[in-house]
Amino acid sequence: MTTAFETEPTLRATMARYPTGLVTVAAGDADGPFGLIASSFTSVSLDPPLVSVNIAATSTTLPRLSAVPQWGVSVLAANQPTVADAFRRPAPRRFDGLGWRREAGGAVLLDGADAVFVTRPRQIVTAGDHVIAVLTVDRHSGDPTVDPLVFYRSRWHRVSALEAH
């Protein structure tokens, strides 16, 4: 007898069936902006205000982020699939053609995002082949009229009004 666990080809394929939002985690230094894209961003606590993001332990961007006091988290808007595509490019070219701003503490925020967060790393926890970065939220803002870009079945999707149950 076969179980559902035995018929799934990979954990990645199974997890791809769970829709997530997309964020960029970015900062800047004397060499310019740098960042990565992640689909594992979530609220951790309201008091104190904490969020988390999972980052591949092999990320070449993570050591650069760790050297900057503030990280910017930009929740991509539904009309920003080209931004998501830009973050698939090699690191030095990810910000080419994108609108962004750098905060005094180094956080880089993307123009047109659904929401933005200026954060400080609070705790980095190694978890398998990733690290979980727990971040303190210093400031945030969002546009309630903008829908987020969603990652589902390994593709970008636009979210329109959802039916409430």
Side-chain angles (χ1 to χ4, degrees):
M1 178 160 134
T2 328
T3 67
F5 292 112
E6 295 169 322
T7 60
E8 291 297 334
T10 66
L11 179 57
R12 181 184 297 267
T14 301
M15 292 305 298
R17 294 176 20 207
Y18 178 70
T20 63
L22 289 162
V23 301
T24 60
V25 180
D29 58 20
D31 295 328
F34 52 89
L36 53 87
I37 193 164
S39 62
S40 57
F41 175 71
T42 192
S43 172
V44 173
S45 169
L46 296 177
D47 187 19
L50 302 173
V51 294
S52 72
V53 64
N54 297 348
I55 301 170
T58 57
S59 168
T60 57
T61 304
L62 183 59
R64 286 186 76 189
L65 283 168
S66 297
V68 179
Q70 287 185 328
W71 300 3
V73 177
S74 299
V75 177
L76 297 185
N79 66 352
Q80 292 184 304
T82 55
V83 174
D85 290 338
F87 273 75
R88 288 182 166 174
R89 296 188 293 227
R93 297 184 39 237
R94 289 184 182 153
F95 287 85
D96 291 357
L98 300 181
W100 56 275
R101 69 184 183 279
R102 181 175 171 202
E103 300 286 309
V108 168
L109 304 171
L110 295 177
D111 295 344
D114 176 36
V116 292
F117 299 80
V118 175
T119 68
R120 286 176 287 117
R122 178 184 177 114
Q123 185 177 14
I124 305 290
V125 179
T126 300
D129 60 0
H130 278 63
V131 298
I132 302 167
V134 178
L135 309 170
T136 299
V137 177
D138 289 334
R139 292 185 315 283
H140 63 90
S141 65
D143 184 343
T145 66
V146 174
D147 290 325
L149 186 64
V150 174
F151 192 60
Y152 174 63
R153 296 195 184 248
S154 302
R155 291 192 175 116
W156 320 134
H157 295 271
R158 297 170 195 257
V159 174
S160 56
L162 299 175
E163 183 180 328
H165 292 275

